[in-house]
Amino acid sequence: QVQLVESGGGLVQAGGSLRLSCAASGRTFSNYAMGWFRQAPGKEREFVAAISWSGGDGDNTYYTDSVKGRFTISRDNAKNTVYLQMNSLKPEDTAVYYCAAKAVRASKNGHEYEYWGQGTQVTVSS
């Protein structure tokens, strides 16, 4: 089992920044790919970013097009934590953000992730 706890959400004005954290416990963190997903009211959950496990080709990262150049995903295996640095935030980034874990390879498909956190609210005002 892997337990995930997100933090760092909040209210920010458009153009501002937030850094989300997701602390993991339970298994060898470095063996897991980590993803960030979000769900806005009335919308389906969508992929935001992912980072692969730390073996193989290393920490490859993936982003949905709407956040490329603004968001950065990273991981600190010593702290069992994955981060999502969000810059130049827009009102359309408002959502509950979830982190998720799956073995080894990153994926943009949320159904492939085995473990999920409880989510953290991000609200961007215009």
Side-chain angles (χ1 to χ4, degrees):
Q1 291 290 327
V2 175
Q3 292 79 42
L4 303 173
V5 179
E6 302 99 332
S7 61
L11 173 64
V12 64
Q13 288 188 331
S17 298
L18 283 174
R19 188 177 80 158
L20 305 183
S21 300
C22 175
S25 62
R27 292 283 181 92
T28 305
F29 178 70
S30 59
N31 290 345
Y32 283 82
M34 302 298 295
W36 285 98
F37 294 78
R38 66 187 180 187
Q39 186 167 21
K43 295 187 177 181
E44 293 188 353
R45 182 182 64 197
E46 66 171 348
F47 168 77
V48 177
I51 186 166
S52 62
W53 73 305
S54 296
D57 296 333
D59 297 338
N60 293 320
T61 57
Y62 309 87
Y63 300 92
T64 192
D65 286 346
S66 63
V67 307
K68 284 180 181 177
R70 300 189 298 123
F71 290 12
T72 303
I73 188 171
S74 62
R75 66 190 301 157
D76 184 339
N77 291 332
K79 296 183 178 180
N80 285 2
T81 301
V82 63
Y83 303 98
L84 185 68
Q85 177 66 46
M86 305 186 295
N87 299 329
S88 301
L89 282 161
K90 304 175 180 180
E92 51 263 42
D93 295 317
T94 295
V96 177
Y97 283 70
Y98 299 90
C99 75
K102 69 179 295 291
V104 186
R105 296 187 183 279
S107 171
K108 298 180 180 181
N109 184 347
H111 295 292
E112 296 184 17
Y113 286 78
E114 303 170 69
Y115 305 103
W116 291 83
Q118 82 290 348
T120 186
Q121 177 70 48
V122 171
T123 303
V124 184
S125 63
S126 57

